Amino acid sequence: MEILAYGVQADEQPLLEEAFAGRHSLRTLAVFLNRDTAPLAAGYPAVSTSVNDELDAGTLAVLAAGGTEVIAQRSTGFNNIDLDAAAGLGLTIARVSYYSPYAVAEHAWTLALAVNRRLTRAAGRSREFDFRLDGLLGRDIHGMTVGVIGTGKIGECFARIAAGFGTHLLGWDIAENPACRELGMTYTELPELLSRSDLISLHVPLLPSTHHLIDTAALARMKDDAILVNSSRGGLVDSAALVEALRAGRLSGVGLDVYEEETGVFFTDQSIQGITDDTLARLVTFPQVLVTSHQAYYTRTAVGQIIDTTVRNIDDYAAGRTNENTLVPKG
């Protein structure tokens, strides 16, 4: 099959080309998919997309009109795809249902440790040969109470690392994970977890029920010196409410790998023209906040697994098969 892949990162391109070599014809684009760029896919029966592509009804209609039959998303999340519209257009949709949970869990801990020990500020000072310790005082992770919101595969990996630090674990999820129980985790209601935790990490999917799970009320329940980490989905956190909490001098550290309005900003160079999102611009000015651009998944292991699964999804479609990654079967 002829495949057009959108939103391909420079590090990702050679891995994609190697994986598809001898199997399918692949063209890669750095640009993201939206209504304006969808016509580029005319004549390509298969399109591969990233989590920051816009697959709304209008974009999907352009793809279908151009001859696209199958869309293989290179991510686990698919809230950027209008599945009902895809089904109505007869498009097949597949995703990557699994890749290394360690990649995301480790990055979440990287953010937590960095904001706790003020590493961004320390590194900036060192470049200017300022080696003072003023303002760099952190806390021991050992002995902290760590709240894990969402205890699936990634949440479990995060909890295992937390247990290695010697923390007290609290968990919240719709279903308890026995492996987390074995680590000593105590499951609680969400308000209790928020009020008792020194460090809170989010690992739930973005659903209508979890949208703005961390809102003004949730933030008010948290300790003034709590650390908040989100490496899951940006929409879990009410960003405007978070800014107000920080303006009030609350929270000692915030690590964000995702942002609710990241589409069109993350994965792009905005250094020359700047950004027009006042909330994001304000967030990055707080000294205790560290923002990374949705890179938690971005390890060689995880990206390799994502690409291998994407190849299998295309192979299965070409052979008339569905698999566990199929979200919308062939119409």
Side-chain angles (χ1 to χ4, degrees):
M1 296 185 71
E2 292 189 345
I3 305 161
L4 181 63
Y6 284 90
V8 177
Q9 304 299 310
D11 297 327
E12 184 186 14
Q13 181 177 346
L15 300 177
L16 269 170
E17 292 174 344
E18 180 181 0
F20 278 103
R23 306 167 74 106
H24 303 282
S25 175
L26 175 71
R27 178 188 175 196
T28 63
L29 296 176
V31 299
F32 292 101
L33 174 62
N34 53 41
R35 296 191 192 194
D36 294 330
T37 60
L40 296 172
Y44 287 90
V47 165
S48 180
T49 56
S50 74
V51 71
N52 265 18
D53 288 311
E54 300 176 25
L55 288 90
D56 56 16
T59 299
L60 293 171
V62 174
L63 292 177
T68 296
E69 303 168 5
V70 58
I71 296 170
Q73 174 123 315
R74 303 187 307 280
S75 72
T76 298
F78 53 90
N79 52 287
N80 61 322
I81 307 174
D82 188 331
L83 297 181
D84 291 335
L89 291 165
L91 292 167
T92 297
I93 308 292
R95 63 158 177 164
V96 176
S97 57
Y98 175 86
Y99 60 83
S100 170
Y102 304 102
V104 179
E106 290 170 3
H107 189 77
W109 268 110
T110 300
L111 291 172
L113 294 169
V115 297
N116 177 48
R117 299 306 295 267
R118 316 293 189 230
L119 293 188
T120 301
R121 177 182 288 182
R125 285 183 182 179
S126 296
R127 290 192 185 96
E128 297 178 357
F129 307 110
D130 178 355
F131 300 108
R132 292 172 300 157
L133 296 180
D134 298 347
L136 303 183
L137 188 67
R139 291 180 287 167
D140 284 9
I141 298 295
H142 179 82
M144 276 190 179
T145 296
V146 173
V148 185
I149 299 179
T151 57
K153 292 183 177 68
I154 297 172
E156 179 188 332
C157 289
F158 185 89
R160 289 189 182 279
I161 298 170
F165 276 112
T167 64
H168 307 290
L169 285 167
L170 299 179
W172 179 81
D173 208 326
I174 57 173
E176 296 185 6
N177 184 337
C180 290
R181 279 283 195 186
E182 292 177 5
L183 293 171
M185 177 179 286
T186 300
Y187 279 87
T188 70
E189 295 300 319
L190 185 58
E192 182 180 356
L193 182 149
L194 293 170
S195 64
R196 289 176 55 190
S197 298
D198 300 300
L199 190 159
I200 296 168
S201 190
L202 307 179
H203 301 287
V204 291
L206 180 59
L207 304 168
S209 59
T210 60
H211 181 255
H212 284 183
L213 186 68
I214 305 301
D215 57 9
T216 299
L219 288 163
R221 291 190 178 99
M222 294 169 59
K223 296 180 179 181
D224 286 344
D225 62 351
I227 294 171
L228 175 65
V229 175
N230 185 13
S231 59
S232 184
R233 290 291 179 266
L236 299 176
V237 177
D238 183 338
S239 303
L242 178 59
V243 167
E244 288 307 308
L246 291 164
R247 281 169 54 89
R250 303 187 63 247
L251 304 182
S252 66
V254 176
L256 303 174
D257 186 56
V258 287
Y259 173 66
E260 58 183 327
E261 300 296 336
E262 69 183 54
T263 301
V265 178
F266 282 16
F267 303 150
T268 67
D269 183 357
Q270 303 285 322
S271 61
I272 296 177
Q273 68 269 36
I275 60 173
T276 58
D277 187 324
D278 292 339
T279 302
L280 179 58
R282 187 70 180 94
L283 276 172
V284 300
T285 65
F286 289 102
Q288 72 269 47
V289 174
L290 175 57
V291 177
T292 55
S293 55
H294 209 133
Q295 72 179 79
Y297 79 99
Y298 207 52
T299 68
R300 183 173 293 275
T301 299
V303 171
Q305 291 170 338
I306 289 169
I307 290 172
D308 289 345
T309 300
T310 301
V311 171
R312 181 163 68 89
N313 290 341
I314 296 291
D315 285 347
D316 283 349
Y317 176 82
R321 299 187 298 264
T322 59
N323 60 39
E324 71 280 5
N325 302 310
T326 305
L327 296 171
V328 179
K330 186 174 182 179

